[in-house]
Amino acid sequence: MCGIIGFTGRLEAQKILTEGLAALEYRGYDSAGIAYFKDTGKISIRKTVGKVKDLLAICDDENNSTCGIGHTRWATHGGVTDQNAHPHQQGKVTLVHNGIIENYRELIADYDLQEILHSETDSEVAAALLNHYYKGDPKEAIKKTVSKLKGTFALVILFEDQPDVIYSIRNVSPIVATICKEGAMLASDLTALCRFTNEYFVVPEYHILELHKDHVVLSLIHI
Ligand code: GLU
């Protein structure tokens, strides 16, 4: 089972993400990665096969980003390689995914995606679809994408031109979230959140969660 973490707030994100991933290590995994907003407004990714300590070895010593997402992967589609590790990036969209997109082969064919994919994962197909539908409105892109997905998913998404905001949606695969004095956080389970707070909520299925530095928004979507 993979692990997911996301943080936007007033502390350095890289430290929170890597410590959160370490707290989720008990779930088992084969690769680890993070993505975060840089000062320039661009998104940086660090990811590798191996353990969180291997990820730390390729992270910056100093990193003042305060918004990012992290993932520990349990490979289901595509081998255990650096390229198949999460996060995945397609255009303006960077995401991590827990679960299985069952119809990913059909989606690759229907949307003619084969040429643009960098990995063998089902997850990157969701990133490509989101980027395809993204015209400046994250919720609209998420809604359209999710209506095409069959399977289980917890998706945690950064849009390059929506700095310091984290979006998430899930079906079956779990996500819990919280807002506390340090900022807003989400994770695939409580273990990663409990050193900050014991107040949290379980994100309901097919609701779009937005994490901002000082508030969260939950919207029900109709598909
Ligand atoms: N199916 C995805 C993959 O193989 C996600 C696996 C997971 O939940 O870690 O990359």
Side-chain angles (χ1 to χ4, degrees), residues 2 71-77 84 86 97-99 121-123:
C2 86
H71 188 265
T72 47
R73 177 178 187 233
W74 182 282
T76 65
H77 291 64
N84 288 341
H86 300 215
H97 165 230
N98 174 4
T121 63
D122 51 334
S123 312

Side-chain angles (χ1 to χ4, degrees), residues 103-114 117 125 129:
N103 61 334
Y104 79 109
R105 286 188 199 283
E106 292 90 313
L107 293 171
I108 292 173
D110 292 353
Y111 289 81
D112 205 11
L113 301 176
Q114 193 60 60
L117 295 174
V125 174
L129 229 59

Side-chain angles (χ1 to χ4, degrees), residues 98-188:
N98 174 4
I100 292 175
I101 312 284
E102 286 163 9
N103 61 334
Y104 79 109
R105 286 188 199 283
E106 292 90 313
L107 293 171
I108 292 173
D110 292 353
Y111 289 81
D112 205 11
L113 301 176
Q114 193 60 60
E115 293 297 305
I116 62 163
L117 295 174
H118 309 291
S119 77
E120 304 153 342
T121 63
D122 51 334
S123 312
E124 194 187 2
V125 174
L129 229 59
L130 278 161
N131 189 53
H132 170 84
Y133 283 122
Y134 184 56
K135 309 282 179 248
D137 182 344
K139 284 194 200 170
E140 203 50 38
I142 292 170
K143 192 173 155 180
K144 285 183 175 151
T145 299
V146 162
S147 73
K148 306 291 180 198
L149 302 183
K150 296 199 174 94
T152 59
F153 51 85
L155 297 171
V156 178
I157 311 154
L158 304 178
F159 293 89
E160 191 176 271
D161 54 0
Q162 308 288 334
D164 297 340
V165 187
I166 298 172
Y167 292 84
S168 182
I169 189 159
R170 73 177 198 92
N171 177 42
V172 182
S173 307
I175 291 280
V176 293
T178 190
I179 176 113
C180 54
K181 66 180 187 329
E182 291 85 0
M185 297 181 74
L186 60 73
S188 46

Side-chain angles (χ1 to χ4, degrees), residues 183-198:
M185 297 181 74
L186 60 73
S188 46
D189 80 55
L190 268 184
T191 324
L193 301 189
C194 58
R195 59 206 173 92
F196 291 97
T197 178
N198 54 10

